[in-house]
Amino acid sequence: MTQRFLSYYAKLFTSFFCAATILVGIGPVRAQDNDTGFIWFAGITEEDGFRPGDWFTSNFTVKRPSFRTDWRRENIEVNEAGEMVLRLHPTKPGFEKDFAGAELQRKKKTHYGRYEVVMTAARGEGVISAFFTYTGAHFNDPHDEIDFEFLGRDTTKVWVTRFASGKRLPGQWLELGFDAAEAPHLYAFEWLEDEIVWYADGRELLRISAADTALPVTPGRVYISIWGGGEDQKNWSGIAPDDTVAVAKYNCMSYRPVGGSNRQCSDGY
């Protein structure tokens, strides 16, 4: 399946690539956005529809002492293969945090529907690379969230979880049947009013129902990120060694609302 995906997008990448430009502006990417959903993928020229205002690249220090990572705009780039690359590396002496990582969010909120990403997870003890929806107090909302989180200590598994109205609900550590750090794979979740279902390469991983547990209900924003775990995360991600360098790669993201018909990442995978 990986070969089919790369073959599909190779047609898009070959005629117009400008390497290592930084997102927002990351440069040659496309975001299609309307009331019926969106698809984003690297490798399309600005003239073909890129709107820099669709995405926000985090570039600040997280104030929580338990969080060891700064967000740095320069840690997001597009490589020669047309993949969006998020990097994690140590900061220089004297900086407040131990690591510089990367986080990208889509500005427009989304709600019930199908969310997809094609990505290669980062490898490394204490390294977390993610695809998720989020909203919270910063946006004057309750904390609602739905996650795919790849823990670099074992990339043959994925952590899936959610928050509802500020409550952290039980997550699960699920077997993938492959190594998520070796090649791009398609991950998806369907967020519906009565259930959430997570998938990997079209295979159902987990289904939870509103009849059995609380579900998020507030529209949120699509995020991707990479960061390094510390003492507060040691029982989950492990602690990232001080010299940790890691990379996560993203090929495509899409959202199709319930009843929508816009293209999705899976149409080319």
Side-chain angles (χ1 to χ4, degrees), residues 37-39 55 106 108-119 131-135 144-148 185-193 195-202 216-224 252-258 262-266:
F38 79 90
I39 185 168
W55 301 87
R106 187 171 176 267
K108 187 173 182 179
K109 292 182 178 181
T110 51
H111 203 196
Y112 298 130
R114 183 177 176 89
Y115 295 77
E116 296 186 347
V117 66
V118 177
M119 64 176 286
F131 171 73
F132 59 103
T133 61
Y134 167 81
T135 193
D144 276 15
E145 184 173 340
I146 304 173
D147 297 84
F148 269 108
H185 289 267
L186 173 69
Y187 306 95
F189 60 83
E190 292 177 347
W191 177 18
L192 305 175
E193 190 172 1
E195 67 179 6
I196 303 172
V197 189
W198 287 264
Y199 301 88
D201 287 342
V217 298
T218 309
R221 300 184 180 206
V222 174
Y223 280 76
I224 58 175
C252 184
M253 291 182 282
S254 66
Y255 161 69
R256 177 185 284 177
V258 174
N262 60 288
R263 285 193 299 156
Q264 301 177 101
C265 298
S266 55

Side-chain angles (χ1 to χ4, degrees), residues 70-85:
D70 275 333
W71 301 132
R72 297 287 181 79
R73 179 176 291 119
E74 61 268 24
N75 282 356
I76 304 180
E77 65 180 25
V78 176
N79 66 15
E80 293 183 358
E83 300 163 311
M84 187 191 299
V85 179

Side-chain angles (χ1 to χ4, degrees), residues 5-17 28 30 39-45 48 81-82 251-252 263 268:
F5 169 80
L6 294 175
S7 175
Y8 174 84
Y9 281 101
K11 298 175 183 178
L12 300 174
F13 298 154
T14 52
S15 60
F16 41 67
F17 178 73
R30 181 178 185 178
I39 185 168
W40 174 96
F41 50 87
I44 302 297
T45 61
D48 199 34
N251 300 80
C252 184
R263 285 193 299 156

Side-chain angles (χ1 to χ4, degrees), residues 232-250:
D232 283 20
Q233 296 85 34
K234 67 178 181 181
N235 294 329
W236 177 58
S237 66
I239 298 175
D242 291 343
D243 60 353
T244 295
V245 174
V247 169
K249 299 177 181 178
Y250 295 80

